[in-house]
Coordinates of all heavy atoms in Angstrom, one line a residue:
Y314 N 143.7 155.7 174.4 CA 144.6 155.2 173.4 C 144.1 155.6 172.1 O 145.0 156.0 171.1 CB 144.6 153.6 173.5 CG 145.4 153.0 172.5 CD1 146.6 152.7 172.5 CD2 144.8 152.6 171.3 CE1 147.4 152.1 171.5 CE2 145.4 152.0 170.3 CZ 146.8 151.7 170.4 OH 147.5 151.0 169.4
K318 N 146.4 157.9 169.4 CA 146.8 157.3 168.0 C 146.1 158.1 166.9 O 146.2 157.6 165.8 CB 146.4 155.8 168.1 CG 147.3 154.9 168.9 CD 148.7 155.0 168.5 CE 149.5 154.1 169.4 NZ 151.0 154.1 168.9
K400 N 134.8 141.1 159.1 CA 136.2 140.6 158.8 C 136.2 139.2 158.4 O 137.2 138.5 158.3 CB 137.0 140.8 160.1 CG 137.2 142.3 160.5 CD 138.2 142.6 161.4 CE 138.6 144.0 161.6 NZ 139.8 144.2 162.5
E453 N 149.3 139.8 175.9 CA 149.9 139.7 174.5 C 150.7 138.4 174.5 O 150.6 137.6 173.6 CB 150.7 140.9 174.0 CG 151.3 140.8 172.7 CD 152.1 142.1 172.2 OE1 152.0 143.0 173.1 OE2 152.7 142.0 171.2
I457 N 150.2 134.7 172.4 CA 151.3 134.2 171.4 C 151.8 132.8 171.9 O 151.9 131.9 171.1 CB 152.4 135.2 171.2 CG1 151.8 136.5 170.5 CG2 153.6 134.5 170.5 CD1 152.9 137.6 170.4
T476 N 143.1 145.7 175.3 CA 143.6 144.9 174.1 C 144.1 145.8 173.0 O 144.7 145.3 172.1 CB 142.3 144.1 173.6 OG1 141.2 144.9 173.4 CG2 142.0 143.0 174.7
L477 N 143.6 147.0 172.8 CA 143.8 147.7 171.7 C 145.4 148.0 171.4 O 145.7 148.1 170.3 CB 143.2 149.2 171.8 CG 141.7 149.2 172.0 CD1 141.2 150.6 171.9 CD2 140.9 148.3 171.0
H478 N 146.1 148.1 172.5 CA 147.5 148.3 172.3 C 148.3 147.1 171.6 O 149.4 147.4 171.2 CB 148.2 148.7 173.7 CG 148.1 147.6 174.7 ND1 147.0 147.2 175.4 CD2 149.2 146.8 175.1 CE1 147.2 146.1 176.1 NE2 148.6 146.0 176.0
F479 N 147.8 146.0 171.7 CA 148.5 144.8 171.1 C 148.0 144.1 170.0 O 148.5 143.2 169.5 CB 148.9 143.8 172.3 CG 147.8 143.1 172.9 CD1 147.0 142.2 172.2 CD2 147.4 143.2 174.2 CE1 146.0 141.4 172.7 CE2 146.4 142.6 174.8 CZ 145.6 141.6 174.0
I480 N 146.7 144.4 169.6 CA 146.0 143.7 168.6 C 146.8 143.5 167.3 O 146.9 142.5 166.7 CB 144.6 144.2 168.4 CG1 143.6 143.8 169.5 CG2 144.1 143.8 167.0 CD1 142.2 144.3 169.4
S481 N 147.3 144.7 166.8 CA 148.1 144.7 165.5 C 149.3 143.8 165.6 O 149.7 143.1 164.6 CB 148.4 146.1 165.1 OG 149.2 146.7 166.0
N482 N 150.0 143.8 166.7 CA 151.2 143.0 167.0 C 150.9 141.6 166.9 O 151.6 140.7 166.3 CB 151.9 143.4 168.3 CG 152.5 144.8 168.3 OD1 152.9 145.3 167.3 ND2 152.7 145.3 169.5
V483 N 149.8 141.2 167.5 CA 149.4 139.7 167.6 C 149.0 139.3 166.2 O 149.4 138.2 165.7 CB 148.3 139.5 168.6 CG1 147.8 138.1 168.5 CG2 148.8 139.7 170.0
E484 N 148.3 140.2 165.5 CA 147.9 139.8 164.1 C 149.0 139.6 163.2 O 149.1 138.6 162.3 CB 147.0 140.9 163.5 CG 145.6 141.0 164.2 CD 144.7 142.0 163.6 OE1 145.2 143.2 163.1 OE2 143.5 141.8 163.6
K485 N 150.1 140.4 163.4 CA 151.3 140.3 162.5 C 152.1 139.1 163.0 O 152.6 138.3 162.1 CB 152.1 141.6 162.7 CG 151.6 142.7 161.9 CD 152.4 144.0 162.2 CE 151.7 145.3 161.7 NZ 152.5 146.5 162.1
N486 N 152.2 138.8 164.3 CA 153.0 137.7 164.7 C 152.4 136.4 164.4 O 153.2 135.4 164.0 CB 153.1 137.8 166.3 CG 154.2 137.0 166.9 OD1 154.1 135.7 166.8 ND2 155.2 137.5 167.5
L487 N 151.1 136.2 164.5 CA 150.4 134.9 164.2 C 149.7 134.9 162.9 O 149.3 133.7 162.5 CB 149.4 134.7 165.3 CG 149.8 134.6 166.8 CD1 148.7 134.5 167.8 CD2 150.9 133.5 167.0
N488 N 149.7 135.9 162.2 CA 149.1 136.0 160.8 C 147.6 135.5 161.0 O 147.1 134.7 160.2 CB 149.8 135.0 159.9 CG 149.4 135.3 158.4 OD1 148.9 136.4 158.1 ND2 149.4 134.2 157.6
V489 N 146.9 136.1 161.8 CA 145.4 135.9 162.1 C 144.7 137.2 162.3 O 145.3 138.2 162.4 CB 145.2 135.0 163.4 CG1 145.8 133.7 163.1 CG2 145.7 135.7 164.6
K490 N 143.4 137.2 162.2 CA 142.7 138.3 162.6 C 142.3 138.2 164.1 O 142.0 137.2 164.6 CB 141.4 138.5 161.8 CG 141.7 138.8 160.3 CD 140.5 138.6 159.4 CE 140.4 137.1 159.0 NZ 139.4 136.9 157.9
V491 N 142.4 139.5 164.8 CA 142.1 139.5 166.2 C 141.0 140.7 166.5 O 141.2 141.8 165.9 CB 143.3 139.9 167.0 CG1 142.9 139.8 168.5 CG2 144.4 138.8 166.7
I492 N 139.9 140.3 167.1 CA 139.0 141.4 167.5 C 138.8 141.1 169.0 O 138.8 140.1 169.5 CB 137.7 141.3 166.7 CG1 136.9 139.9 166.9 CG2 138.0 141.6 165.3 CD1 135.5 140.0 166.3
S496 N 137.6 146.7 170.9 CA 137.9 147.0 169.4 C 136.7 147.0 168.6 O 136.5 147.9 167.7 CB 139.0 146.2 168.8 OG 138.5 144.9 168.5

Side-chain angles (χ1 to χ4, degrees):
Y314 174 88
K318 292 294 182 179
K400 295 195 172 184
E453 179 179 355
I457 292 170
T476 56
L477 300 186
H478 63 288
F479 67 67
I480 284 178
S481 61
N482 290 339
V483 173
E484 288 183 325
K485 291 174 185 175
N486 192 297
L487 299 177
N488 192 29
V489 297
K490 288 169 277 191
V491 181
I492 63 173
S496 73

